Amino acid sequence: MTTFLLTCALVGGVLLLAQLVFGSIGAEHDATTHDGSLTPLHNGAHEASSGLQLFSVRALTAAVAFFGIGGLGARSLGAATPLTIITAILLGAMGMFGVAVSMRAMLGLQRDATLDIRNAMGKVGTVYVPVPGSLGGVGKVTLAVQGRTVEYQAVTLEGSVLPTGAPVVVVGIRDDDVLEVLLLSSVDGVQ
């Protein structure tokens, strides 16, 4: 029994260490997903909301390692064989669950936070630097995009200057990352 538990602890520990080393240099991405499972990624992305990956390679490896360590610990305290097996199974399950929860938390941090100007379409903002009328020049507006307040250069097709503090709505985006805005009260259906 002790030899089996020691083998589980060593094999699981060595495999976990190897996964950590290969994961830190990026070598794992050829055969596995970001969470260590053998399921291919969809379009190169992983959704952190897809649930716990209890049966990923990492989680199963952790289960084997903790099974061996837990069993050896119980054995060294003089526990009987049934109690040793129960302890090993419980610690193996806790290790598997712990790794799955940790991987889910880490994958949640990998979202792309790059600001996409296209998400500004239809957003309401405020003029920060007056916007000259009739494409007469560039001003600046501030608005909330993707959960943060940003400042963009802006132009308007309207005839009059949009003064500082005026509420505007984004109606277009120019190729040079300049927003086209209109005074909020001049947009149909918006008060």
Side-chain angles (χ1 to χ4, degrees):
M1 179 73 159
T2 302
T3 305
F4 175 69
L5 293 172
L6 184 60
T7 302
C8 287
L10 288 175
V11 169
V14 167
L15 288 175
L16 275 176
L17 183 62
Q19 288 176 0
L20 178 67
V21 169
F22 289 131
S24 67
I25 61 173
E28 71 174 345
H29 296 289
D30 293 335
T32 63
T33 65
H34 296 290
D35 62 0
S37 66
L38 296 175
T39 307
L41 295 173
H42 295 88
N43 297 327
H46 175 82
E47 294 184 25
S49 62
S50 65
L52 290 179
Q53 297 293 323
L54 287 175
F55 298 105
S56 68
V57 173
R58 279 196 185 119
L60 292 174
T61 304
V64 170
F66 281 93
F67 174 86
I69 292 168
L72 287 173
R75 195 82 155 159
S76 70
L77 294 174
T81 301
L83 185 57
T84 299
I85 292 171
I86 290 171
T87 302
I89 290 171
L90 286 175
L91 283 176
M94 287 175 25
M96 182 171 64
F97 184 76
V99 166
V101 168
S102 298
M103 291 307 300
R104 180 181 164 101
M106 286 190 289
L107 289 172
L109 299 174
Q110 291 184 344
R111 69 177 180 87
D112 184 9
T114 305
L115 192 62
D116 185 353
I117 193 170
R118 292 173 296 188
N119 291 329
M121 281 298 296
K123 300 284 185 186
V124 174
T126 305
V127 175
Y128 179 64
V129 174
V131 180
S134 301
L135 297 173
V138 178
K140 290 190 178 184
V141 296
T142 58
L143 60 148
V145 178
Q146 293 176 220
R148 56 184 138 167
T149 302
V150 293
E151 179 181 295
Y152 279 110
Q153 292 185 333
V155 296
T156 185
L157 303 174
E158 293 183 338
S160 60
V161 173
L162 300 177
T164 299
V168 293
V169 64
V170 178
V171 295
I173 300 169
R174 300 196 162 246
D175 289 336
D176 50 356
D177 291 339
V178 175
L179 301 178
E180 290 181 13
V181 297
L182 291 176
L183 191 61
L184 188 57
S185 63
S186 68
V187 178
D188 291 338
V190 178
Q191 300 287 337

